[in-house]
Coordinates of all heavy atoms in Angstrom, one line a residue:
L307 N 135.6 124.3 18.1 CA 137.1 124.2 17.9 C 137.7 125.6 17.4 O 138.7 126.0 17.9 CB 137.5 123.1 17.1 CG 137.9 121.7 17.7 CD1 138.3 120.8 16.6 CD2 138.9 122.0 18.8
V308 N 137.0 126.2 16.5 CA 137.4 127.4 16.0 C 137.6 128.6 17.0 O 138.5 129.2 17.2 CB 136.5 127.9 14.7 CG1 136.9 129.4 14.4 CG2 136.6 127.0 13.6
T309 N 136.5 128.6 17.9 CA 136.5 129.4 19.0 C 137.6 129.1 20.0 O 138.3 130.0 20.6 CB 135.1 129.6 19.6 OG1 134.2 129.8 18.7 CG2 135.0 130.6 20.7
E310 N 137.7 127.8 20.3 CA 138.8 127.4 21.3 C 140.1 127.9 20.7 O 140.9 128.4 21.6 CB 138.6 126.0 21.4 CG 137.5 125.3 22.2 CD 137.5 125.6 23.7 OE1 138.6 126.0 24.2 OE2 136.4 125.3 24.3
F311 N 140.5 127.7 19.5 CA 141.7 128.1 19.0 C 142.0 129.6 19.0 O 143.0 130.0 19.3 CB 141.8 127.5 17.5 CG 141.9 126.1 17.4 CD1 141.6 125.4 16.2 CD2 142.3 125.2 18.4 CE1 141.7 124.0 16.0 CE2 142.5 123.9 18.4 CZ 142.2 123.2 17.2
R312 N 140.9 130.3 18.8 CA 141.0 131.7 18.8 C 141.3 132.3 20.2 O 142.1 133.1 20.3 CB 139.7 132.3 18.2 CG 139.9 133.8 17.8 CD 138.5 134.3 17.2 NE 138.1 133.7 16.1 CZ 137.0 133.0 15.9 NH1 136.0 133.0 16.9 NH2 136.6 132.6 14.8
V313 N 140.6 131.7 21.1 CA 140.8 132.1 22.5 C 142.1 131.7 23.1 O 142.9 132.5 23.7 CB 139.7 131.5 23.4 CG1 139.9 131.8 25.0 CG2 138.3 132.1 23.1
L314 N 142.6 130.5 22.7 CA 143.9 130.0 23.2 C 145.1 130.4 22.3 O 146.2 129.9 22.6 CB 143.8 128.5 23.5 CG 142.8 127.9 24.3 CD1 142.8 126.4 24.3 CD2 143.1 128.4 25.7
K315 N 144.8 131.2 21.2 CA 145.9 131.6 20.4 C 146.7 130.5 19.7 O 147.8 130.5 19.6 CB 147.0 132.4 21.3 CG 146.3 133.6 22.0 CD 145.6 134.6 21.2 CE 145.0 135.8 22.0 NZ 144.2 136.7 21.3
I316 N 145.9 129.5 19.3 CA 146.5 128.3 18.6 C 146.3 128.6 17.1 O 145.3 128.7 16.6 CB 145.8 127.0 19.0 CG1 146.0 126.7 20.5 CG2 146.2 125.8 18.2 CD1 145.2 125.5 21.0
E317 N 147.5 128.7 16.5 CA 147.5 129.0 15.0 C 148.2 128.1 14.1 O 148.5 128.5 13.0 CB 148.1 130.5 14.9 CG 147.2 131.5 15.6 CD 147.9 132.9 15.6 OE1 149.0 133.0 15.1 OE2 147.2 133.9 16.0
D318 N 148.7 127.0 14.6 CA 149.4 126.0 13.8 C 148.9 124.5 14.0 O 148.3 124.4 15.1 CB 150.9 126.1 13.9 CG 151.2 125.8 15.4 OD1 151.5 124.7 15.7 OD2 151.4 126.9 16.2
I319 N 149.2 123.7 13.1 CA 148.7 122.3 13.1 C 149.3 121.6 14.2 O 148.6 120.8 14.9 CB 148.9 121.6 11.8 CG1 148.1 122.3 10.7 CG2 148.7 120.1 11.9 CD1 148.1 121.7 9.3
K320 N 150.6 121.7 14.5 CA 151.3 121.1 15.6 C 150.6 121.2 16.9 O 150.3 120.3 17.8 CB 152.8 121.3 15.6 CG 153.6 120.7 16.6 CD 155.1 121.1 16.6 CE 155.8 120.3 17.7 NZ 157.3 120.7 17.6
R321 N 150.5 122.5 17.3 CA 149.8 122.9 18.6 C 148.4 122.3 18.6 O 147.9 121.9 19.7 CB 149.9 124.4 18.9 CG 151.2 124.9 19.1 CD 151.2 126.3 19.5 NE 150.4 126.5 20.7 CZ 150.0 127.7 21.1 NH1 150.1 128.8 20.3 NH2 149.2 127.9 22.1
A322 N 147.7 122.4 17.5 CA 146.4 121.9 17.5 C 146.3 120.4 17.7 O 145.3 120.1 18.5 CB 145.6 122.3 16.1
N323 N 147.1 119.7 17.2 CA 147.1 118.2 17.4 C 147.4 118.0 18.9 O 146.9 116.9 19.5 CB 148.1 117.6 16.5 CG 147.6 117.4 15.2 OD1 146.4 117.2 14.9 ND2 148.5 117.5 14.2
E324 N 148.3 118.8 19.4 CA 148.7 118.5 20.9 C 147.4 118.9 21.8 O 147.2 118.2 22.8 CB 149.7 119.5 21.3 CG 151.1 119.0 20.7 CD 152.3 120.0 21.0 OE1 152.0 121.0 21.6 OE2 153.4 119.7 20.5
F325 N 146.6 119.9 21.4 CA 145.5 120.3 22.2 C 144.4 119.3 22.0 O 143.6 119.0 23.0 CB 145.0 121.7 21.6 CG 143.7 122.1 22.1 CD1 143.6 122.6 23.4 CD2 142.6 122.0 21.4 CE1 142.3 123.0 24.0 CE2 141.3 122.4 21.9 CZ 141.2 122.8 23.2
L326 N 144.2 118.6 20.9 CA 143.3 117.6 20.7 C 143.3 116.4 21.7 O 142.3 115.8 22.1 CB 143.3 117.1 19.3 CG 142.7 117.9 18.1 CD1 142.9 117.2 16.8 CD2 141.2 118.2 18.4
D327 N 144.5 116.0 22.2 CA 144.8 115.0 23.1 C 143.9 115.1 24.3 O 143.2 114.2 24.8 CB 146.3 114.7 23.4 CG 147.0 114.3 22.3 OD1 146.4 113.8 21.3 OD2 148.2 114.6 22.2
E328 N 143.9 116.4 24.9 CA 143.2 116.6 26.1 C 141.6 117.0 25.8 O 140.8 116.8 26.6 CB 143.8 117.6 27.0 CG 144.0 118.9 26.3 CD 144.6 120.0 27.3 OE1 144.2 119.9 28.4 OE2 145.5 120.7 26.9
Y329 N 141.5 117.7 24.7 CA 140.2 118.1 24.4 C 139.1 117.0 24.1 O 137.9 117.2 24.4 CB 140.3 119.0 23.2 CG 139.0 119.6 22.7 CD1 138.4 120.8 23.4 CD2 138.3 119.3 21.6 CE1 137.2 121.2 23.0 CE2 137.1 119.8 21.1 CZ 136.6 120.8 21.9 OH 135.3 121.3 21.5
L330 N 139.6 116.0 23.4 CA 138.6 114.9 23.0 C 138.1 114.2 24.3 O 136.9 113.8 24.3 CB 139.3 113.8 22.1 CG 139.7 114.2 20.8 CD1 140.3 113.1 20.0 CD2 138.4 114.6 20.0
T331 N 138.9 114.2 25.4 CA 138.3 113.5 26.7 C 137.3 114.3 27.2 O 136.1 113.9 27.6 CB 139.5 113.5 27.7 OG1 140.6 112.6 27.2 CG2 139.0 112.8 28.9
K332 N 137.3 115.7 27.2 CA 136.2 116.5 27.7 C 135.1 116.6 26.7 O 134.0 116.5 27.2 CB 136.8 117.9 27.8 CG 137.9 118.2 28.9 CD 138.5 119.5 29.0 CE 139.6 119.6 29.8 NZ 140.2 121.1 29.9
F333 N 135.4 116.6 25.4 CA 134.3 116.5 24.4 C 133.5 115.2 24.6 O 132.2 115.4 24.4 CB 135.0 116.6 23.0 CG 134.0 116.8 21.9 CD1 133.6 118.1 21.5 CD2 133.5 115.7 21.2 CE1 132.6 118.2 20.5 CE2 132.6 115.8 20.2 CZ 132.2 117.1 19.8
N334 N 134.1 114.1 24.7 CA 133.3 112.9 24.7 C 132.5 112.9 26.0 O 131.5 112.3 26.0 CB 134.3 111.6 24.6 CG 134.9 111.6 23.2 OD1 134.3 111.9 22.2 ND2 136.0 110.9 23.2

Side-chain angles (χ1 to χ4, degrees):
L307 267 183
V308 172
T309 307
E310 292 281 351
F311 290 158
R312 198 183 296 125
V313 172
L314 299 175
K315 310 298 182 184
I316 297 178
E317 299 177 350
D318 59 90
I319 291 178
K320 182 179 179 181
R321 291 185 58 198
N323 285 326
E324 294 173 354
F325 172 75
L326 281 178
D327 292 339
E328 59 175 318
Y329 180 76
L330 287 183
T331 303
K332 300 177 183 178
F333 185 87
N334 290 332

